[in-house]
Short mmCIF file of all heavy atoms in Angstrom, two decimals:
data_model
loop_
_atom_site.label_atom_id
_atom_site.label_comp_id
_atom_site.label_asym_id
_atom_site.label_seq_id
_atom_site.Cartn_x
_atom_site.Cartn_y
_atom_site.Cartn_z
N ILE A 363 -0.85 23.89 2.57
CA ILE A 363 -0.26 22.64 2.08
C ILE A 363 -0.33 21.56 3.15
O ILE A 363 -0.69 20.42 2.88
CB ILE A 363 1.18 22.89 1.60
CG1 ILE A 363 1.15 23.76 0.35
CG2 ILE A 363 1.90 21.57 1.32
CD1 ILE A 363 2.48 24.34 -0.05
N SER A 364 -0.02 21.93 4.38
CA SER A 364 -0.10 20.97 5.48
C SER A 364 -1.53 20.46 5.66
O SER A 364 -1.74 19.26 5.87
CB SER A 364 0.40 21.64 6.77
OG SER A 364 0.26 20.78 7.85
N ALA A 365 -2.50 21.36 5.57
CA ALA A 365 -3.90 20.97 5.72
C ALA A 365 -4.32 19.99 4.63
O ALA A 365 -5.00 18.99 4.89
CB ALA A 365 -4.80 22.21 5.71
N VAL A 366 -3.90 20.26 3.39
CA VAL A 366 -4.30 19.38 2.29
C VAL A 366 -3.53 18.05 2.34
O VAL A 366 -4.08 17.01 1.99
CB VAL A 366 -4.18 20.08 0.93
CG1 VAL A 366 -4.56 19.15 -0.22
CG2 VAL A 366 -5.07 21.32 0.89
N LEU A 367 -2.29 18.09 2.80
CA LEU A 367 -1.57 16.81 2.98
C LEU A 367 -2.27 15.95 4.03
O LEU A 367 -2.42 14.74 3.84
CB LEU A 367 -0.11 17.07 3.38
CG LEU A 367 0.82 17.44 2.24
CD1 LEU A 367 2.17 17.91 2.80
CD2 LEU A 367 1.02 16.29 1.27
N SER A 368 -2.71 16.55 5.11
CA SER A 368 -3.46 15.80 6.12
C SER A 368 -4.77 15.30 5.54
O SER A 368 -5.19 14.17 5.79
CB SER A 368 -3.73 16.68 7.34
OG SER A 368 -2.54 17.02 7.99
N ALA A 369 -5.42 16.15 4.76
CA ALA A 369 -6.68 15.76 4.12
C ALA A 369 -6.48 14.62 3.13
O ALA A 369 -7.34 13.77 2.97
CB ALA A 369 -7.30 16.97 3.43
N ARG A 370 -5.32 14.60 2.48
CA ARG A 370 -5.01 13.54 1.51
C ARG A 370 -5.05 12.17 2.19
O ARG A 370 -5.58 11.21 1.64
CB ARG A 370 -3.64 13.82 0.90
CG ARG A 370 -3.19 12.91 -0.21
CD ARG A 370 -2.23 11.79 0.18
NE ARG A 370 -1.72 11.82 1.51
CZ ARG A 370 -0.45 12.01 1.85
NH1 ARG A 370 0.45 12.21 0.92
NH2 ARG A 370 -0.07 11.97 3.11
N ASP A 371 -4.53 12.09 3.40
CA ASP A 371 -4.59 10.82 4.14
C ASP A 371 -6.04 10.41 4.39
O ASP A 371 -6.40 9.24 4.29
CB ASP A 371 -3.83 10.93 5.45
CG ASP A 371 -2.33 11.09 5.25
OD1 ASP A 371 -1.81 10.69 4.19
OD2 ASP A 371 -1.67 11.63 6.17
N HIS A 372 -6.86 11.39 4.72
CA HIS A 372 -8.29 11.13 4.95
C HIS A 372 -8.97 10.68 3.65
O HIS A 372 -9.77 9.75 3.65
CB HIS A 372 -8.95 12.38 5.53
CG HIS A 372 -10.39 12.18 5.88
ND1 HIS A 372 -10.79 11.41 6.95
CD2 HIS A 372 -11.51 12.65 5.30
CE1 HIS A 372 -12.11 11.42 7.01
NE2 HIS A 372 -12.57 12.17 6.03
N MET A 373 -8.61 11.34 2.54
CA MET A 373 -9.19 10.95 1.25
C MET A 373 -8.82 9.51 0.92
O MET A 373 -9.66 8.75 0.42
CB MET A 373 -8.71 11.90 0.14
CG MET A 373 -9.33 13.28 0.22
SD MET A 373 -8.74 14.34 -1.12
CE MET A 373 -7.67 15.43 -0.22
N ARG A 374 -7.58 9.15 1.19
CA ARG A 374 -7.14 7.77 0.94
C ARG A 374 -8.01 6.79 1.74
O ARG A 374 -8.45 5.76 1.22
CB ARG A 374 -5.67 7.60 1.29
CG ARG A 374 -5.19 6.16 1.09
CD ARG A 374 -3.69 6.03 1.23
NE ARG A 374 -3.07 6.58 0.03
CZ ARG A 374 -2.14 7.54 0.03
NH1 ARG A 374 -1.70 8.04 1.15
NH2 ARG A 374 -1.63 7.97 -1.10
N ALA A 375 -8.27 7.13 3.00
CA ALA A 375 -9.11 6.26 3.82
C ALA A 375 -10.53 6.17 3.26
O ALA A 375 -11.14 5.10 3.27
CB ALA A 375 -9.13 6.77 5.26
N LEU A 376 -11.04 7.28 2.74
CA LEU A 376 -12.39 7.27 2.16
C LEU A 376 -12.45 6.43 0.88
O LEU A 376 -13.50 5.88 0.55
CB LEU A 376 -12.86 8.70 1.87
CG LEU A 376 -13.12 9.56 3.11
CD1 LEU A 376 -13.42 11.00 2.70
CD2 LEU A 376 -14.24 9.00 3.97
N VAL A 377 -11.35 6.31 0.18
CA VAL A 377 -11.29 5.47 -1.01
C VAL A 377 -11.23 4.00 -0.61
O VAL A 377 -11.87 3.15 -1.23
CB VAL A 377 -10.05 5.82 -1.89
CG1 VAL A 377 -9.81 4.77 -2.96
CG2 VAL A 377 -10.21 7.19 -2.51
N GLU A 378 -10.49 3.69 0.43
CA GLU A 378 -10.19 2.30 0.78
C GLU A 378 -11.20 1.65 1.72
O GLU A 378 -11.30 0.43 1.76
CB GLU A 378 -8.80 2.22 1.40
CG GLU A 378 -7.70 2.60 0.43
CD GLU A 378 -6.34 2.71 1.07
OE1 GLU A 378 -6.24 2.59 2.31
OE2 GLU A 378 -5.38 2.94 0.33
N GLU A 379 -11.91 2.45 2.51
CA GLU A 379 -12.74 1.88 3.57
C GLU A 379 -14.16 2.41 3.51
O GLU A 379 -14.44 3.39 2.85
CB GLU A 379 -12.15 2.27 4.94
CG GLU A 379 -10.71 1.86 5.12
CD GLU A 379 -10.09 2.49 6.36
OE1 GLU A 379 -10.83 3.01 7.20
OE2 GLU A 379 -8.86 2.44 6.47
N GLU A 380 -15.00 1.78 4.28
CA GLU A 380 -16.36 2.28 4.47
C GLU A 380 -16.30 3.50 5.39
O GLU A 380 -15.46 3.58 6.28
CB GLU A 380 -17.24 1.21 5.12
CG GLU A 380 -17.55 0.05 4.22
CD GLU A 380 -18.39 0.45 3.02
OE1 GLU A 380 -19.35 1.21 3.19
OE2 GLU A 380 -18.07 -0.01 1.91
N VAL A 381 -17.20 4.42 5.17
CA VAL A 381 -17.25 5.63 5.98
C VAL A 381 -17.92 5.31 7.32
O VAL A 381 -18.96 4.67 7.37
CB VAL A 381 -18.04 6.73 5.24
CG1 VAL A 381 -18.10 8.00 6.07
CG2 VAL A 381 -17.42 7.01 3.89
N SER A 382 -17.27 5.76 8.40
CA SER A 382 -17.82 5.55 9.73
C SER A 382 -17.96 6.90 10.43
O SER A 382 -17.50 7.93 9.94
CB SER A 382 -16.88 4.65 10.54
OG SER A 382 -15.67 5.34 10.79
#
Side-chain angles (χ1 to χ4, degrees):
I363 292 167
S364 177
V366 179
L367 281 170
S368 295
R370 185 261 352 246
D371 292 336
H372 184 71
M373 288 181 253
R374 178 171 285 126
L376 292 173
V377 168
E378 295 172 355
E379 304 169 14
E380 290 295 317
V381 180
S382 67

